[in-house]
Amino acid sequence: MSETITIKSMAEWQAEGKSPEVLFWVGCAGSFDDRAKRITRSITTILHHAGISFGVLGTEEACTGDPAKRAGNEFLFQMMAMTNISVLNGYNIKKIVTGCPHCFNTLKNEYPGLGGNYEVLHHTEFIKNLLDEGRIKIEGGDFKGKKIVFHDPCYLGRGNGIYEAPRKVIEVLDADLTELKRSREKGLCCGAGGAQMFKEAEPGNKEVNIERSEEILAENPAVVATGCPFCMTMMTDGVKHFNKESEVKVLDVAELLVNSLKK
Amino acid sequence: MGIPNLIFVVVFLAACILFWRNASKISRNIKLGMPLDRSDRKGERWRLMTLVAFGQKKMFSRPWPALLHFFVYAGFVIINIEVAEIVIDGIFGTHRVLSVAGGLYPLMLASFEVLAFLVTAGCVIFLIRRNITKVKRLVMKELDGWPKTDANLILIMEISLMTAFFFMNAADRSLFISGHPHYNVDIGFMPVSGYLAGFFSGWESSQLVFLERFCWWFHIIGILAFLNYLVVSKHLHIILAFPNVFFSRLEPKGKFDNLESVTGEVKLMLDPTLTPPPAPETPLKFGARDATDLSWKQLLDAYTCTECGRCTSECPANITGKKLSPRKIMMDTRDRIDEIGKNLDKGKKPGEDGKALLNDYISPEELWACTSCNACVQACPVNIDPLSIIMDLRRYLVMEQSAAPNEINLMLTNIENNHVPWQFSPADRLNWAQEK
């Protein structure tokens, strides 16, 4: 993507006396993790391509508090939530797109009880809507006929019942979408949820991401698609563990789509 | 009314009273839980109960065990009509009182026999799965001892009850054919007992009467004993599955409750000009340490659990050899609330025994292995939520005891100071927009 996209913060939008269609909630992984930043840029490319005006909070964005809550620190979670809510309400935000199922779940389900009421969409849902409305079109692309498996992120799938949106986006690419044995309601976690991302696993006989990677690699896919920066880390590590990184790519649904956008 | 009828009435009443007393204790134990409002969205709750409890929808994600389980379930529900007949006959000394239904009666009885046969076959296969082919989730460590015996006893009792039912009908049929004056109802050739009747062709009338009476008493006393066995067994799910599904959490699974007790404190922290509310009489406790800190629904979950292990077999932590087993979380919760109940009966207050659910039953190692992925919640056929208990215990560890693993504490400190769970500067948050 050679085109430069200007990323405007909500403060800049406000200074111009305007407001964008949506707020893009980037999330911590999407802001700081090098691999996840590429997903973030793919999402902005899609938004730009579809002509969606969007803003980000930039330095005013703070962790939603999700990992604190799942780790059991409700105090810290609610402090983060209330701080974020006062920023969001200050900009009169109505609609949010997130690049992370954990941010998505927290903003959508846990903020309303603390005074933050927004229409919240995960980026795979948002992209699916753009495709449905014809605001983005697909042409060619590298994934035609390629075997793609989708790893359901827990907080998107079981957590919020969103199974179809990411699959619909993959299907549009004319790819060979193959279901894993453990998929949808029965999807196996990548091992990072519930604040596990930030600690070593408890003693056991295997890492969860290795268990999942074995299942995925048994299918011999060209691509493992996912929709979560934590799943991205875990699956990438898993594929590397088996030295399969040159044959099997791990990509976010947004990255898959960017490749096939009609110029 | 003869002496047998009197004995029957006494036994029947005693069994019912005993059941009522023990069931009341369980109900009292459940009410030891914290309050929680689940009285909303009644229509949705009835629908859910019909589909998930009555229709066993979630069982069918594993079709073969589901089908066998459905036979046992349907058999037990429908054969209760037969039990009603036995109770009436028992009290009034009548014989096969429901035969007033005329031509419908043999048809009804035949369908009971078919069902009873399916129940027996189901239970035999279940015994094989537990003891011979050893299906993994049915032979795991947490089932050693009583839980394993409990499961086998239930299956053996069910097979015995059904066998008694068949032999009772077989003896009855032979007596009718021999022209015995009391056994005057022609049940016809029944699909199972019809074949058994052949064995008794040489038997004396008195021997047949003895066999018939023995099976009749065995059947009804067995059922009354089974009723009273429920309250000390995992088998209580046949009753509690219904209210447990009715009172399910209807929110998206990813949504965790926001602790109200915390909200007040956080509001005060963020805005010191607010007037603090009067201090509560009992100091606030954040999270759960003992079973009585859990909600009544979490305790109902524990009594409903029939230890099938679908949760544990889908748990990513358990699959990869970690100590956590969602089924054990439920079994521990039930054992602990039962223990608290027994202490109460002895006049001891909850907690007076110096024990608690946390540490004495469930270790932090188990709690920290959870990825909060909701696989256990999804897998449970009766909508039990082990994850909520894990979270409440974690909350106690972190908020009351500051007992999180070091890496977790580091992550929490980062969120607090940098507003990001890693050690990055919040000023760099928008750097991605400048990078390629």
Side-chain angles (χ1 to χ4, degrees), chain A residues 93-152:
Chain A
I93 299 293
K94 297 271 180 281
K95 192 169 181 178
I96 302 176
V97 181
T98 73
C100 167
H102 296 266
C103 299
F104 162 72
N105 176 66
T106 309
L107 291 165
K108 182 175 192 271
N109 294 321
E110 291 161 3
Y111 276 29
L114 299 167
N117 294 288
Y118 322 101
E119 184 194 346
V120 188
L121 295 166
H122 182 254
H123 69 276
T124 56
E125 282 183 294
F126 194 78
I127 294 169
K128 188 207 157 261
N129 292 347
L130 292 177
L131 286 164
D132 288 349
E133 292 159 12
R135 290 179 79 165
I136 41 178
K137 296 230 167 17
I138 298 302
E139 197 177 55
D142 296 344
F143 302 108
K144 204 167 178 170
K146 291 266 172 69
K147 187 168 183 179
I148 300 183
V149 294
F150 181 69
H151 163 84
D152 286 282

Short mmCIF file of all heavy atoms in Angstrom, two decimals, chain A residues 93-152:
data_model
loop_
_atom_site.label_atom_id
_atom_site.label_comp_id
_atom_site.label_asym_id
_atom_site.label_seq_id
_atom_site.Cartn_x
_atom_site.Cartn_y
_atom_site.Cartn_z
N ILE A 93 -18.97 10.26 21.15
CA ILE A 93 -18.80 9.11 20.25
C ILE A 93 -20.08 8.28 20.21
O ILE A 93 -20.69 8.00 21.24
CB ILE A 93 -17.63 8.23 20.74
CG1 ILE A 93 -16.32 9.00 20.75
CG2 ILE A 93 -17.51 6.95 19.90
CD1 ILE A 93 -15.78 9.42 19.42
N LYS A 94 -20.47 7.88 18.97
CA LYS A 94 -21.67 7.07 18.81
C LYS A 94 -21.34 5.66 18.30
O LYS A 94 -21.98 4.70 18.66
CB LYS A 94 -22.62 7.72 17.79
CG LYS A 94 -23.13 9.09 18.21
CD LYS A 94 -24.42 8.95 19.03
CE LYS A 94 -24.95 10.31 19.45
NZ LYS A 94 -24.22 10.84 20.63
N LYS A 95 -20.34 5.59 17.42
CA LYS A 95 -20.06 4.31 16.78
C LYS A 95 -18.56 4.02 16.84
O LYS A 95 -17.74 4.88 16.52
CB LYS A 95 -20.51 4.38 15.32
CG LYS A 95 -20.54 3.06 14.60
CD LYS A 95 -21.25 3.19 13.26
CE LYS A 95 -21.32 1.88 12.52
NZ LYS A 95 -22.05 1.99 11.26
N ILE A 96 -18.22 2.81 17.27
CA ILE A 96 -16.82 2.43 17.43
C ILE A 96 -16.52 1.16 16.64
O ILE A 96 -17.30 0.21 16.66
CB ILE A 96 -16.49 2.16 18.93
CG1 ILE A 96 -16.81 3.41 19.78
CG2 ILE A 96 -15.03 1.76 19.12
CD1 ILE A 96 -16.61 3.19 21.27
N VAL A 97 -15.39 1.15 15.93
CA VAL A 97 -14.88 -0.08 15.30
C VAL A 97 -13.61 -0.45 16.04
O VAL A 97 -12.77 0.41 16.29
CB VAL A 97 -14.51 0.14 13.82
CG1 VAL A 97 -14.01 -1.16 13.20
CG2 VAL A 97 -15.69 0.66 13.06
N THR A 98 -13.48 -1.72 16.43
CA THR A 98 -12.26 -2.11 17.14
C THR A 98 -11.48 -3.12 16.30
O THR A 98 -12.06 -3.85 15.50
CB THR A 98 -12.57 -2.80 18.48
OG1 THR A 98 -13.07 -4.11 18.21
CG2 THR A 98 -13.59 -2.02 19.29
N GLY A 99 -10.17 -3.17 16.54
CA GLY A 99 -9.33 -4.14 15.84
C GLY A 99 -9.04 -5.35 16.72
O GLY A 99 -8.21 -6.18 16.38
N CYS A 100 -9.73 -5.46 17.84
CA CYS A 100 -9.40 -6.51 18.82
C CYS A 100 -10.67 -7.00 19.50
O CYS A 100 -11.45 -6.20 20.00
CB CYS A 100 -8.42 -5.93 19.84
SG CYS A 100 -8.20 -6.95 21.32
N PRO A 101 -10.90 -8.31 19.51
CA PRO A 101 -12.12 -8.84 20.12
C PRO A 101 -12.24 -8.56 21.63
O PRO A 101 -13.33 -8.51 22.16
CB PRO A 101 -12.02 -10.36 19.89
CG PRO A 101 -11.00 -10.54 18.83
CD PRO A 101 -10.07 -9.38 18.93
N HIS A 102 -11.08 -8.40 22.27
CA HIS A 102 -11.13 -8.14 23.72
C HIS A 102 -11.61 -6.71 23.99
O HIS A 102 -12.48 -6.49 24.83
CB HIS A 102 -9.75 -8.39 24.35
CG HIS A 102 -9.34 -9.82 24.23
ND1 HIS A 102 -9.60 -10.73 25.23
CD2 HIS A 102 -8.75 -10.51 23.23
CE1 HIS A 102 -9.15 -11.92 24.83
NE2 HIS A 102 -8.64 -11.81 23.62
N CYS A 103 -11.05 -5.74 23.24
CA CYS A 103 -11.54 -4.36 23.34
C CYS A 103 -13.02 -4.33 22.95
O CYS A 103 -13.84 -3.69 23.62
CB CYS A 103 -10.78 -3.44 22.40
SG CYS A 103 -9.02 -3.35 22.70
N PHE A 104 -13.34 -5.03 21.87
CA PHE A 104 -14.71 -5.07 21.36
C PHE A 104 -15.68 -5.54 22.44
O PHE A 104 -16.69 -4.90 22.74
CB PHE A 104 -14.75 -6.01 20.14
CG PHE A 104 -16.10 -6.50 19.75
CD1 PHE A 104 -17.01 -5.64 19.15
CD2 PHE A 104 -16.47 -7.83 19.97
CE1 PHE A 104 -18.27 -6.09 18.78
CE2 PHE A 104 -17.73 -8.27 19.60
CZ PHE A 104 -18.63 -7.41 19.00
N ASN A 105 -15.34 -6.68 23.07
CA ASN A 105 -16.21 -7.25 24.08
C ASN A 105 -16.39 -6.31 25.27
O ASN A 105 -17.50 -6.12 25.77
CB ASN A 105 -15.63 -8.59 24.55
CG ASN A 105 -16.43 -9.20 25.68
OD1 ASN A 105 -17.58 -9.59 25.51
ND2 ASN A 105 -15.84 -9.22 26.88
N THR A 106 -15.28 -5.72 25.71
CA THR A 106 -15.34 -4.86 26.89
C THR A 106 -16.15 -3.60 26.60
O THR A 106 -17.03 -3.23 27.38
CB THR A 106 -13.90 -4.51 27.32
OG1 THR A 106 -13.16 -5.72 27.42
CG2 THR A 106 -13.87 -3.82 28.66
N LEU A 107 -15.83 -2.95 25.47
CA LEU A 107 -16.55 -1.72 25.12
C LEU A 107 -18.04 -2.00 24.91
O LEU A 107 -18.90 -1.25 25.35
CB LEU A 107 -15.97 -1.11 23.84
CG LEU A 107 -14.56 -0.53 23.91
CD1 LEU A 107 -14.00 -0.31 22.51
CD2 LEU A 107 -14.57 0.80 24.67
N LYS A 108 -18.32 -3.10 24.25
CA LYS A 108 -19.72 -3.40 23.88
C LYS A 108 -20.54 -3.86 25.07
O LYS A 108 -21.68 -3.44 25.24
CB LYS A 108 -19.71 -4.51 22.81
CG LYS A 108 -21.09 -4.88 22.29
CD LYS A 108 -20.93 -5.88 21.15
CE LYS A 108 -22.22 -6.07 20.40
NZ LYS A 108 -23.05 -7.13 20.96
N ASN A 109 -19.94 -4.74 25.88
CA ASN A 109 -20.74 -5.38 26.93
C ASN A 109 -20.55 -4.81 28.33
O ASN A 109 -21.46 -4.86 29.15
CB ASN A 109 -20.41 -6.88 26.98
CG ASN A 109 -20.83 -7.60 25.72
OD1 ASN A 109 -21.90 -7.31 25.17
ND2 ASN A 109 -20.01 -8.52 25.26
N GLU A 110 -19.36 -4.37 28.63
CA GLU A 110 -19.07 -4.01 30.02
C GLU A 110 -19.05 -2.52 30.28
O GLU A 110 -19.17 -2.08 31.42
CB GLU A 110 -17.75 -4.69 30.45
CG GLU A 110 -17.94 -6.21 30.55
CD GLU A 110 -16.66 -7.03 30.51
OE1 GLU A 110 -15.56 -6.43 30.44
OE2 GLU A 110 -16.76 -8.27 30.54
N TYR A 111 -18.93 -1.71 29.23
CA TYR A 111 -18.96 -0.25 29.42
C TYR A 111 -20.37 0.31 29.64
O TYR A 111 -20.52 1.27 30.40
CB TYR A 111 -18.26 0.47 28.25
CG TYR A 111 -16.75 0.58 28.40
CD1 TYR A 111 -16.03 -0.38 29.10
CD2 TYR A 111 -16.03 1.65 27.85
CE1 TYR A 111 -14.65 -0.30 29.24
CE2 TYR A 111 -14.64 1.75 28.00
CZ TYR A 111 -13.96 0.77 28.69
OH TYR A 111 -12.60 0.87 28.83
N PRO A 112 -21.41 -0.26 29.00
CA PRO A 112 -22.75 0.34 29.20
C PRO A 112 -23.14 0.46 30.67
O PRO A 112 -23.70 1.48 31.08
CB PRO A 112 -23.68 -0.60 28.44
CG PRO A 112 -22.83 -1.17 27.36
CD PRO A 112 -21.47 -1.34 27.99
N GLY A 113 -22.81 -0.54 31.47
CA GLY A 113 -23.17 -0.51 32.89
C GLY A 113 -22.46 0.59 33.65
O GLY A 113 -22.85 0.93 34.77
N LEU A 114 -21.41 1.15 33.05
CA LEU A 114 -20.65 2.21 33.73
C LEU A 114 -20.86 3.56 33.05
O LEU A 114 -20.13 4.52 33.29
CB LEU A 114 -19.15 1.84 33.76
CG LEU A 114 -18.81 0.53 34.50
CD1 LEU A 114 -17.38 0.10 34.22
CD2 LEU A 114 -19.04 0.70 36.00
N GLY A 115 -21.85 3.62 32.16
CA GLY A 115 -22.21 4.91 31.55
C GLY A 115 -21.66 5.12 30.15
O GLY A 115 -21.74 6.23 29.63
N GLY A 116 -21.12 4.08 29.53
CA GLY A 116 -20.60 4.23 28.17
C GLY A 116 -21.44 3.45 27.17
O GLY A 116 -21.33 2.24 27.09
N ASN A 117 -22.32 4.14 26.46
CA ASN A 117 -23.22 3.45 25.52
C ASN A 117 -22.89 3.80 24.08
O ASN A 117 -23.10 4.93 23.65
CB ASN A 117 -24.67 3.82 25.83
CG ASN A 117 -25.09 3.27 27.18
OD1 ASN A 117 -25.28 2.08 27.35
ND2 ASN A 117 -25.18 4.16 28.17
N TYR A 118 -22.36 2.83 23.34
CA TYR A 118 -21.96 3.08 21.96
C TYR A 118 -22.37 1.88 21.11
O TYR A 118 -22.55 0.79 21.63
CB TYR A 118 -20.43 3.25 21.86
CG TYR A 118 -19.85 4.01 23.03
CD1 TYR A 118 -19.21 3.34 24.08
CD2 TYR A 118 -19.98 5.40 23.12
CE1 TYR A 118 -18.72 4.03 25.17
CE2 TYR A 118 -19.49 6.09 24.22
CZ TYR A 118 -18.86 5.40 25.25
OH TYR A 118 -18.39 6.08 26.32
N GLU A 119 -22.46 2.14 19.81
CA GLU A 119 -22.61 1.02 18.89
C GLU A 119 -21.19 0.53 18.61
O GLU A 119 -20.37 1.27 18.07
CB GLU A 119 -23.29 1.49 17.60
CG GLU A 119 -23.56 0.37 16.63
CD GLU A 119 -23.93 0.85 15.22
OE1 GLU A 119 -24.22 2.05 15.05
OE2 GLU A 119 -23.89 0.02 14.31
N VAL A 120 -20.89 -0.71 19.00
CA VAL A 120 -19.52 -1.20 18.88
C VAL A 120 -19.47 -2.37 17.89
O VAL A 120 -20.28 -3.29 17.98
CB VAL A 120 -18.97 -1.67 20.25
CG1 VAL A 120 -17.48 -1.99 20.14
CG2 VAL A 120 -19.20 -0.61 21.32
N LEU A 121 -18.57 -2.29 16.94
CA LEU A 121 -18.42 -3.36 15.95
C LEU A 121 -16.98 -3.84 15.91
O LEU A 121 -16.04 -3.04 15.99
CB LEU A 121 -18.80 -2.85 14.55
CG LEU A 121 -20.25 -2.44 14.33
CD1 LEU A 121 -20.38 -1.64 13.04
CD2 LEU A 121 -21.15 -3.66 14.30
N HIS A 122 -16.82 -5.15 15.79
CA HIS A 122 -15.49 -5.70 15.55
C HIS A 122 -15.15 -5.45 14.08
O HIS A 122 -16.05 -5.41 13.24
CB HIS A 122 -15.48 -7.19 15.86
CG HIS A 122 -14.13 -7.83 15.69
ND1 HIS A 122 -13.84 -8.64 14.63
CD2 HIS A 122 -13.02 -7.74 16.45
CE1 HIS A 122 -12.57 -9.05 14.74
NE2 HIS A 122 -12.05 -8.52 15.84
N HIS A 123 -13.88 -5.29 13.76
CA HIS A 123 -13.55 -4.91 12.38
C HIS A 123 -14.03 -5.91 11.34
O HIS A 123 -14.38 -5.53 10.23
CB HIS A 123 -12.06 -4.58 12.22
CG HIS A 123 -11.13 -5.76 12.33
ND1 HIS A 123 -10.68 -6.24 13.54
CD2 HIS A 123 -10.55 -6.57 11.39
CE1 HIS A 123 -9.86 -7.26 13.33
NE2 HIS A 123 -9.77 -7.49 12.04
N THR A 124 -14.11 -7.21 11.71
CA THR A 124 -14.59 -8.18 10.71
C THR A 124 -16.07 -7.94 10.39
O THR A 124 -16.50 -8.11 9.26
CB THR A 124 -14.39 -9.63 11.16
OG1 THR A 124 -15.03 -9.82 12.41
CG2 THR A 124 -12.91 -9.96 11.30
N GLU A 125 -16.84 -7.54 11.42
CA GLU A 125 -18.25 -7.21 11.18
C GLU A 125 -18.37 -5.98 10.31
O GLU A 125 -19.19 -5.91 9.39
CB GLU A 125 -18.93 -6.85 12.52
CG GLU A 125 -19.33 -7.98 13.41
CD GLU A 125 -20.05 -7.42 14.63
OE1 GLU A 125 -19.41 -6.71 15.44
OE2 GLU A 125 -21.25 -7.68 14.77
N PHE A 126 -17.56 -4.97 10.65
CA PHE A 126 -17.61 -3.71 9.92
C PHE A 126 -17.27 -3.93 8.45
O PHE A 126 -17.94 -3.43 7.55
CB PHE A 126 -16.65 -2.70 10.57
CG PHE A 126 -16.87 -1.28 10.11
CD1 PHE A 126 -17.92 -0.54 10.64
CD2 PHE A 126 -16.05 -0.70 9.17
CE1 PHE A 126 -18.14 0.77 10.22
CE2 PHE A 126 -16.26 0.61 8.74
CZ PHE A 126 -17.31 1.35 9.28
N ILE A 127 -16.21 -4.73 8.21
CA ILE A 127 -15.79 -5.01 6.84
C ILE A 127 -16.87 -5.78 6.08
O ILE A 127 -17.17 -5.51 4.93
CB ILE A 127 -14.45 -5.79 6.81
CG1 ILE A 127 -13.33 -4.91 7.37
CG2 ILE A 127 -14.11 -6.28 5.42
CD1 ILE A 127 -12.02 -5.65 7.63
N LYS A 128 -17.48 -6.73 6.78
CA LYS A 128 -18.56 -7.50 6.14
C LYS A 128 -19.70 -6.55 5.71
O LYS A 128 -20.23 -6.68 4.61
CB LYS A 128 -19.09 -8.56 7.10
CG LYS A 128 -20.05 -9.51 6.43
CD LYS A 128 -21.04 -10.10 7.42
CE LYS A 128 -22.28 -10.56 6.69
NZ LYS A 128 -23.39 -9.62 6.77
N ASN A 129 -20.04 -5.60 6.58
CA ASN A 129 -21.08 -4.64 6.23
C ASN A 129 -20.68 -3.80 5.02
O ASN A 129 -21.51 -3.53 4.15
CB ASN A 129 -21.38 -3.71 7.41
CG ASN A 129 -22.04 -4.46 8.56
OD1 ASN A 129 -22.49 -5.60 8.40
ND2 ASN A 129 -22.09 -3.84 9.73
N LEU A 130 -19.41 -3.39 4.97
CA LEU A 130 -18.93 -2.60 3.83
C LEU A 130 -19.06 -3.40 2.53
O LEU A 130 -19.45 -2.86 1.49
CB LEU A 130 -17.48 -2.18 4.04
CG LEU A 130 -17.20 -1.16 5.15
CD1 LEU A 130 -15.70 -0.91 5.27
CD2 LEU A 130 -17.93 0.16 4.89
N LEU A 131 -18.75 -4.69 2.61
CA LEU A 131 -18.89 -5.55 1.43
C LEU A 131 -20.35 -5.68 1.02
O LEU A 131 -20.70 -5.56 -0.15
CB LEU A 131 -18.31 -6.94 1.71
CG LEU A 131 -16.79 -7.06 1.75
CD1 LEU A 131 -16.37 -8.36 2.41
CD2 LEU A 131 -16.19 -6.97 0.34
N ASP A 132 -21.22 -5.89 2.02
CA ASP A 132 -22.66 -6.02 1.76
C ASP A 132 -23.21 -4.76 1.10
O ASP A 132 -24.06 -4.83 0.22
CB ASP A 132 -23.43 -6.28 3.05
CG ASP A 132 -23.19 -7.69 3.59
OD1 ASP A 132 -22.61 -8.50 2.83
OD2 ASP A 132 -23.58 -7.97 4.73
N GLU A 133 -22.72 -3.61 1.57
CA GLU A 133 -23.24 -2.34 1.05
C GLU A 133 -22.56 -1.94 -0.25
O GLU A 133 -22.88 -0.89 -0.82
CB GLU A 133 -23.01 -1.22 2.09
CG GLU A 133 -23.85 -1.38 3.36
CD GLU A 133 -23.26 -0.60 4.54
OE1 GLU A 133 -22.35 0.23 4.33
OE2 GLU A 133 -23.69 -0.85 5.67
N GLY A 134 -21.61 -2.74 -0.69
CA GLY A 134 -20.90 -2.44 -1.93
C GLY A 134 -19.92 -1.27 -1.81
O GLY A 134 -19.51 -0.68 -2.81
N ARG A 135 -19.55 -0.93 -0.60
CA ARG A 135 -18.63 0.20 -0.44
C ARG A 135 -17.17 -0.21 -0.68
O ARG A 135 -16.32 0.64 -0.87
CB ARG A 135 -18.79 0.82 0.95
CG ARG A 135 -20.12 1.54 1.09
CD ARG A 135 -20.32 2.14 2.47
NE ARG A 135 -19.57 3.39 2.64
CZ ARG A 135 -19.80 4.24 3.63
NH1 ARG A 135 -20.72 3.97 4.53
NH2 ARG A 135 -19.08 5.34 3.74
N ILE A 136 -16.90 -1.50 -0.63
CA ILE A 136 -15.59 -1.97 -1.09
C ILE A 136 -15.82 -3.12 -2.06
O ILE A 136 -16.76 -3.89 -1.93
CB ILE A 136 -14.65 -2.43 0.05
CG1 ILE A 136 -15.40 -3.23 1.11
CG2 ILE A 136 -13.90 -1.27 0.67
CD1 ILE A 136 -14.51 -3.75 2.22
N LYS A 137 -14.94 -3.18 -3.03
CA LYS A 137 -15.07 -4.23 -4.05
C LYS A 137 -13.78 -5.04 -4.10
O LYS A 137 -12.70 -4.54 -3.81
CB LYS A 137 -15.36 -3.59 -5.42
CG LYS A 137 -16.69 -2.87 -5.48
CD LYS A 137 -17.48 -3.30 -6.68
CE LYS A 137 -18.93 -2.90 -6.71
NZ LYS A 137 -19.39 -1.85 -5.82
N ILE A 138 -13.93 -6.27 -4.53
CA ILE A 138 -12.81 -7.21 -4.52
C ILE A 138 -12.42 -7.54 -5.96
O ILE A 138 -13.28 -7.70 -6.82
CB ILE A 138 -13.25 -8.51 -3.80
CG1 ILE A 138 -13.60 -8.21 -2.35
CG2 ILE A 138 -12.20 -9.60 -3.88
CD1 ILE A 138 -12.48 -7.58 -1.56
N GLU A 139 -11.15 -7.66 -6.19
CA GLU A 139 -10.69 -8.03 -7.54
C GLU A 139 -9.44 -8.88 -7.43
O GLU A 139 -8.47 -8.46 -6.81
CB GLU A 139 -10.38 -6.77 -8.34
CG GLU A 139 -10.29 -7.02 -9.84
CD GLU A 139 -10.06 -5.71 -10.57
OE1 GLU A 139 -9.09 -5.03 -10.21
OE2 GLU A 139 -10.86 -5.38 -11.46
N GLY A 140 -9.46 -10.05 -8.02
CA GLY A 140 -8.28 -10.91 -8.04
C GLY A 140 -7.79 -11.23 -6.65
O GLY A 140 -8.54 -11.71 -5.81
N GLY A 141 -6.53 -10.94 -6.40
CA GLY A 141 -5.98 -11.21 -5.09
C GLY A 141 -5.23 -12.51 -5.08
O GLY A 141 -5.39 -13.37 -5.96
N ASP A 142 -4.38 -12.65 -4.07
CA ASP A 142 -3.48 -13.80 -3.99
C ASP A 142 -4.12 -15.05 -3.41
O ASP A 142 -3.50 -16.09 -3.38
CB ASP A 142 -2.27 -13.45 -3.10
CG ASP A 142 -1.45 -12.32 -3.69
OD1 ASP A 142 -1.64 -12.05 -4.90
OD2 ASP A 142 -0.64 -11.74 -2.96
N PHE A 143 -5.33 -14.93 -2.89
CA PHE A 143 -5.85 -16.04 -2.09
C PHE A 143 -6.88 -16.88 -2.82
O PHE A 143 -7.45 -17.79 -2.25
CB PHE A 143 -6.41 -15.50 -0.77
CG PHE A 143 -5.36 -14.76 0.01
CD1 PHE A 143 -5.41 -13.38 0.13
CD2 PHE A 143 -4.30 -15.45 0.58
CE1 PHE A 143 -4.43 -12.70 0.83
CE2 PHE A 143 -3.31 -14.77 1.28
CZ PHE A 143 -3.37 -13.39 1.39
N LYS A 144 -7.12 -16.55 -4.07
CA LYS A 144 -8.10 -17.30 -4.86
C LYS A 144 -7.73 -18.78 -4.87
O LYS A 144 -6.62 -19.15 -5.24
CB LYS A 144 -8.13 -16.75 -6.28
CG LYS A 144 -9.42 -17.03 -6.99
CD LYS A 144 -9.54 -16.20 -8.25
CE LYS A 144 -10.85 -16.56 -8.93
NZ LYS A 144 -11.17 -15.67 -10.01
N GLY A 145 -8.67 -19.62 -4.42
CA GLY A 145 -8.44 -21.06 -4.43
C GLY A 145 -7.50 -21.58 -3.35
O GLY A 145 -7.31 -22.78 -3.21
N LYS A 146 -6.91 -20.67 -2.57
CA LYS A 146 -5.99 -21.09 -1.52
C LYS A 146 -6.77 -21.64 -0.32
O LYS A 146 -7.85 -21.16 -0.01
CB LYS A 146 -5.13 -19.90 -1.06
CG LYS A 146 -4.12 -19.43 -2.10
CD LYS A 146 -2.77 -20.09 -1.87
CE LYS A 146 -1.80 -19.80 -3.00
NZ LYS A 146 -1.37 -18.39 -3.02
N LYS A 147 -6.17 -22.61 0.32
CA LYS A 147 -6.83 -23.19 1.48
C LYS A 147 -6.60 -22.31 2.72
O LYS A 147 -5.46 -22.09 3.13
CB LYS A 147 -6.28 -24.59 1.75
CG LYS A 147 -7.03 -25.34 2.84
CD LYS A 147 -6.63 -26.81 2.84
CE LYS A 147 -7.42 -27.59 3.86
NZ LYS A 147 -7.06 -29.00 3.84
N ILE A 148 -7.70 -21.80 3.26
CA ILE A 148 -7.61 -20.93 4.44
C ILE A 148 -8.42 -21.56 5.58
O ILE A 148 -9.55 -21.99 5.38
CB ILE A 148 -8.17 -19.52 4.13
CG1 ILE A 148 -7.37 -18.87 2.99
CG2 ILE A 148 -8.16 -18.64 5.38
CD1 ILE A 148 -7.80 -17.46 2.65
N VAL A 149 -7.81 -21.62 6.77
CA VAL A 149 -8.59 -22.03 7.94
C VAL A 149 -8.79 -20.80 8.82
O VAL A 149 -7.92 -19.93 8.89
CB VAL A 149 -7.92 -23.16 8.77
CG1 VAL A 149 -7.84 -24.44 7.97
CG2 VAL A 149 -6.53 -22.74 9.25
N PHE A 150 -9.95 -20.70 9.45
CA PHE A 150 -10.20 -19.57 10.34
C PHE A 150 -10.18 -20.05 11.78
O PHE A 150 -10.87 -20.99 12.15
CB PHE A 150 -11.54 -18.90 10.02
CG PHE A 150 -11.82 -17.71 10.91
CD1 PHE A 150 -11.06 -16.55 10.78
CD2 PHE A 150 -12.82 -17.76 11.87
CE1 PHE A 150 -11.30 -15.45 11.61
CE2 PHE A 150 -13.05 -16.66 12.70
CZ PHE A 150 -12.30 -15.51 12.57
N HIS A 151 -9.33 -19.39 12.58
CA HIS A 151 -9.27 -19.70 14.01
C HIS A 151 -10.19 -18.72 14.73
O HIS A 151 -9.95 -17.51 14.71
CB HIS A 151 -7.82 -19.57 14.49
CG HIS A 151 -7.69 -19.46 15.98
ND1 HIS A 151 -7.67 -20.56 16.81
CD2 HIS A 151 -7.60 -18.38 16.79
CE1 HIS A 151 -7.56 -20.15 18.07
NE2 HIS A 151 -7.52 -18.84 18.09
N ASP A 152 -11.26 -19.21 15.36
CA ASP A 152 -12.22 -18.33 16.04
C ASP A 152 -11.63 -17.75 17.32
O ASP A 152 -11.31 -18.51 18.24
CB ASP A 152 -13.48 -19.12 16.43
CG ASP A 152 -14.37 -19.44 15.25
OD1 ASP A 152 -15.09 -18.53 14.81
OD2 ASP A 152 -14.34 -20.60 14.78
#
